[in-house]
Amino acid sequence: MAGQEAARQRHLNQDTDGEESASAQPEAWKIHYEKSWLHRRWSSLLHKDKQARKAGQLFSGLLAMNVVFLGCAFISSMIFNRVAITLRDVKIFFSILKILSLCWIIYYLLCTSRKPHAVLYRDSHAGPVWVQGSLVLFGACTILLHVFGIGYNISHIHCKSQLEILFPCIEIIFICIQTYLLWRHCKDCTQVQHNLTRCGLMLTMATDLLLWLLAVTNDSVHKEIESALKGLVQNFPCNGTSSCTCPNTTACRVFQKGYVLLYPFNMEYCLIGSSMLYVMWKNVGRRIPPHHAIHAKPKFKLRGVIYGLLLGISALFLGICIFLTYQIQATSSAPNQEALVLYYSYYVVLLPMMAVGAVAGTVIHGLEERELDTLKNPTRSLDVILLMGAALGQIGISYFSIVAIVATNPGDLLDRLILTYAVSLIIQHITQNIFIIEGLHRQPLVEDPDARPAGPHTQHSGPSGEEMVGSHTSQQPTPPPGNKETGAKEGEKCEDCEPRRVYPLEIRQEIRRVSHAYSHTFGRLNWKRKALKEISIFLVLCNIILWIMPTFGMHPAFENGLEKSFYGYSTWFAIVNFGLPLGVFYRMHSVGGLLEVYVSS
């Protein structure tokens, strides 16, 4: 009885303990959250930091928008009412913007970037080599352009204002300092003075955009005068006189030809500078995780690329021949119909080949086993936006040409070629954009320089011969404790000599078998990578020649009379001069994107 009573008492005690523990469980759960006030405080700080970042981006974006709208109002007033607002007034306003931007750039270089913990992170994707090289090249050409402009204005100093010499000097200083900023600090993720840095970047970016817009409008006026006069002497309205003649005709001709030749580089420099400033603006206050900041970069190699390289070089050489033929006829007189037929025939053959290559590359991207790169990357997002936006220039001109040709229903060979050219150009832009965007969102295949290959190919990742040997040697039995002294003596004897391992025959046969298996696997997958590299290098060379032609003065759209008569002289010139700079920028930006696709594949 006593034993039964004791057992019952223990059972009651256990039930009581269970109820107490069950009732205490919610209390413990509640106490656990009450002790996590630090976590809530940290989350609140992160939320406030995110809100402050968004507020700074909004304020600086509104500043840039107002500056751009004010500049557009000045430029539009100059175009539609040249009496109230002159080109000199516009240049004075732009000079004020340049001086303000220069003040901030100098402050950033001398103060902000030198503060402690100012730049803790650097965006490895921002400012690739080809972008920095293009920035320096176009910046140098733009400086040379303004040097020609200064020389031309000095030769006309008797009928021009001295401010016409001051404006290019301010422009040269602005380009030099801005190029240095973008060359040295385009990868910075600034962690101090966020709002001031954002506002300065937006002000400078708005200035570049307005300079590009002014260059586009001035280029349209220049092309209109050049196509209308076609003479050796131009008339310039200056200070109430009807004409402004140059006493030294040879020097004026040199300055004028140099200015006309280098003028498109000014527009390209403004667009590249604006895009790099936008990336810097997005990176202000950005914190990059360590495993995202450090990564191996693939290298550019032409190993194994044959067919795409030969085909691209052939297209490049043929395009240069057509370009020289067109330019020779354009300098002597207006290009005849044969030169225009030759030009459009070249495009009609080349553009479908490029479109087919881009479609094939997109299909191969779908067959690949590479994973998508889903990490947040402001540079890649900007690349996609610029590709899609810049493509609208040539696509818009093509649609205007299609409407004009179909509405007039001509039967001429040249008009049919222009119609085919316009349709092919639209298809080529769309297919190439899809191919580049697909390639930019793929994980790059990087060759590990530290790994020793198990076979002749080193691009694949897998256990190498040393790893296999290490795995086998790690399974060897360790010497017994009694042999420690002997092992120590042997280690002292061989301390200065290089250890030499001799592995059994079974291990060496296993290494050969694994090497052969990986080589066979790589051989089956190699055709995809090789095809992507062939397509990419072919498209790179084709885009280079399609960039060279319009950049150095080959503009058949100005000489073609069908669209000009259909839309009117001024309207067609406005359409072409707005779309052509975007088309030139698209070709140059496509070269950079295709090079990244080539390197990463």
Side-chain angles (χ1 to χ4, degrees):
M1 293 292 293
Q4 292 179 357
E5 196 65 33
R8 193 181 343 175
Q9 188 66 27
R10 285 196 301 270
H11 183 69
L12 290 174
N13 291 337
Q14 289 177 359
D15 292 342
T16 306
D17 293 338
E19 291 176 0
E20 289 179 357
S21 62
S23 61
Q25 188 174 3
E27 295 296 329
W29 185 263
K30 189 181 298 182
I31 292 172
H32 175 72
Y33 273 95
E34 287 176 356
K35 289 182 180 180
S36 63
W37 63 271
L38 183 61
H39 180 268
R40 293 200 304 271
R41 174 67 175 170
W42 181 250
S43 301
S44 177
L45 290 176
L46 289 177
H47 183 66
K48 290 181 180 179
D49 181 70
K50 192 174 182 180
Q51 283 184 337
R53 184 178 179 181
K54 289 184 177 179
Q57 289 180 348
L58 177 62
F59 180 77
S60 57
L62 289 174
L63 174 64
M65 184 183 68
N66 282 277
V67 172
V68 169
F69 282 163
L70 181 59
C72 291
F74 265 91
I75 295 174
S76 302
S77 301
M78 179 197 69
I79 293 174
F80 297 111
N81 191 351
R82 294 182 179 272
V83 177
I85 302 295
T86 61
L87 182 60
R88 182 183 302 175
D89 299 330
V90 176
K91 289 185 176 181
I92 290 173
F93 173 70
F94 281 15
S95 298
I96 295 173
L97 292 180
K98 294 172 195 173
I99 293 172
L100 292 175
S101 300
L102 284 174
C103 292
W104 171 80
I105 292 174
I106 295 172
Y107 177 79
Y108 181 85
L109 293 175
L110 298 180
C111 298
T112 304
S113 62
R114 297 185 179 184
K115 286 183 177 294
H117 311 294
V119 183
L120 298 176
Y121 310 97
R122 290 177 67 85
D123 186 3
S124 59
H125 298 281
V129 177
W130 69 269
V131 174
Q132 292 182 348
S134 302
L135 179 77
V136 173
L137 174 63
F138 294 150
C141 293
T142 305
I143 291 173
L144 188 60
L145 165 75
H146 290 296
V147 170
F148 279 114
I150 292 173
Y152 190 82
N153 291 327
I154 291 176
S155 62
H156 293 80
I157 194 65
H158 60 280
C159 59
K160 283 183 176 289
S161 173
Q162 294 181 356
L163 290 176
E164 299 295 330
I165 302 175
L166 179 63
F167 294 142
C169 294
I170 297 175
E171 181 78 13
I172 290 174
I173 298 173
F174 174 75
I175 291 171
C176 291
I177 298 179
Q178 179 180 251
T179 304
Y180 178 79
L181 169 73
L182 296 176
W183 176 267
R184 290 293 302 272
H185 300 277
C186 62
K187 299 178 182 292
D188 289 359
C189 298
T190 310
Q191 304 298 324
V192 297
Q193 298 181 350
H194 293 173
N195 293 331
L196 179 61
T197 305
R198 289 192 184 102
C199 291
L201 288 169
M202 281 289 102
L203 177 63
T204 311
M205 190 186 78
T207 304
D208 282 329
L209 289 176
L210 289 174
L211 288 174
W212 172 77
L213 185 60
L214 180 63
V216 170
T217 55
N218 274 353
D219 188 46
S220 64
V221 173
H222 171 74
K223 288 295 180 181
E224 185 174 346
I225 293 174
E226 187 180 26
S227 298
L229 296 180
K230 293 291 183 181
L232 298 179
V233 180
Q234 287 186 338
N235 295 327
F236 296 92
C238 305
N239 300 329
T241 60
S242 60
S243 63
C244 183
T245 58
C246 180
N248 190 348
T249 309
T250 305
C252 291
R253 291 275 299 177
V254 172
F255 290 138
Q256 182 183 3
K257 288 296 182 182
Y259 193 86
V260 172
L261 182 65
L262 296 173
Y263 197 87
F265 294 101
N266 183 25
M267 295 180 282
E268 304 305 319
Y269 175 82
C270 294
L271 290 176
I272 294 177
S274 301
S275 62
M276 296 180 72
L277 290 168
Y278 175 80
V279 173
M280 287 184 65
W281 177 75
K282 292 290 289 184
N283 283 331
V284 173
R286 183 187 176 196
R287 298 180 178 88
I288 301 177
H291 62 279
H292 293 165
I294 302 175
H295 65 281
K297 293 183 178 180
K299 298 180 180 179
F300 180 82
K301 296 179 181 179
L302 286 174
R303 183 177 56 193
V305 179
I306 300 175
Y307 302 106
L309 185 62
L310 292 177
L311 195 59
I313 291 175
S314 301
L316 184 64
F317 178 75
L318 185 60
I320 291 175
C321 294
I322 295 174
F323 170 74
L324 293 177
T325 303
Y326 182 89
Q327 286 296 101
I328 291 172
Q329 292 190 1
T331 52
S332 59
S333 61
N336 54 20
Q337 190 171 4
E338 294 180 358
L340 294 175
V341 168
L342 185 63
Y343 168 83
Y344 284 110
S345 299
Y346 174 75
Y347 268 82
V348 166
V349 173
L350 184 62
L351 291 175
M353 293 174 61
M354 296 174 65
V356 171
V359 170
T362 306
V363 173
I364 295 174
H365 276 314
L367 297 176
E368 274 190 314
E369 297 179 357
R370 281 192 292 165
E371 296 181 357
L372 293 175
D373 188 3
T374 57
L375 296 177
K376 186 178 180 181
N377 189 344
T379 306
R380 184 176 57 200
S381 302
L382 180 63
D383 287 338
V384 173
I385 293 173
L386 290 178
L387 277 175
M388 302 299 292
L392 297 178
Q394 286 287 350
I395 290 177
I397 294 177
S398 299
Y399 276 120
F400 278 107
S401 298
I402 290 172
V403 171
I405 294 172
V406 172
T408 54
N409 193 18
D412 191 9
L413 174 62
L414 179 60
D415 295 327
R416 289 197 297 268
L417 284 175
I418 295 174
L419 179 61
T420 309
Y421 157 79
V423 175
S424 302
L425 193 65
I426 295 172
I427 297 173
Q428 190 271 328
H429 275 74
I430 295 173
T431 54
Q432 182 171 274
N433 282 347
I434 295 174
F435 173 66
I436 295 175
I437 293 171
E438 282 287 329
L440 292 178
H441 284 81
R442 297 283 176 173
Q443 291 282 0
L445 289 172
V446 183
E447 185 174 335
D448 190 5
D450 298 331
R452 294 183 181 179
H457 304 284
T458 61
Q459 285 84 351
H460 52 79
S461 60
S464 61
E466 289 185 357
E467 293 174 354
M468 293 295 299
V469 171
S471 63
H472 282 276
T473 55
S474 63
Q475 296 175 4
Q476 297 294 330
T478 58
N483 294 337
K484 287 184 178 179
E485 296 180 359
T486 307
K489 292 179 181 178
E490 292 178 356
E492 291 176 359
K493 292 179 181 178
C494 300
E495 192 175 14
D496 298 330
C497 61
E498 184 178 356
R500 186 176 179 182
R501 297 180 181 179
V502 180
Y503 302 106
L505 179 62
E506 293 80 4
I507 296 179
R508 285 180 287 172
Q509 289 178 349
E510 182 69 17
I511 292 173
R512 291 196 199 96
R513 187 186 64 81
V514 173
S515 302
H516 180 72
Y518 275 101
S519 300
H520 181 66
T521 303
F522 179 76
R524 285 191 292 108
L525 297 177
N526 189 33
W527 70 269
K528 299 177 185 177
R529 296 185 59 194
K530 186 176 181 181
L532 285 176
K533 287 183 178 292
E534 298 279 2
I535 293 170
S536 299
I537 200 66
F538 168 69
L539 292 178
V540 164
L541 295 173
C542 291
N543 278 277
I544 287 175
I545 186 59
L546 296 184
W547 172 80
I548 290 175
M549 286 184 173
T551 300
F552 292 95
M554 193 171 183
H555 301 145
F558 288 107
E559 309 297 336
N560 184 33
L562 180 62
E563 294 94 338
K564 190 188 303 182
S565 60
F566 185 82
Y567 292 106
Y569 191 79
S570 300
T571 303
W572 179 241
F573 264 87
I575 293 170
V576 171
N577 279 285
F578 184 79
L580 276 181
L582 289 177
V584 171
F585 180 77
Y586 172 80
R587 294 300 175 187
M588 184 202 62
H589 199 72
S590 297
V591 170
L594 289 166
L595 285 176
E596 291 188 16
V597 174
Y598 175 86
V599 170
S600 63
S601 60

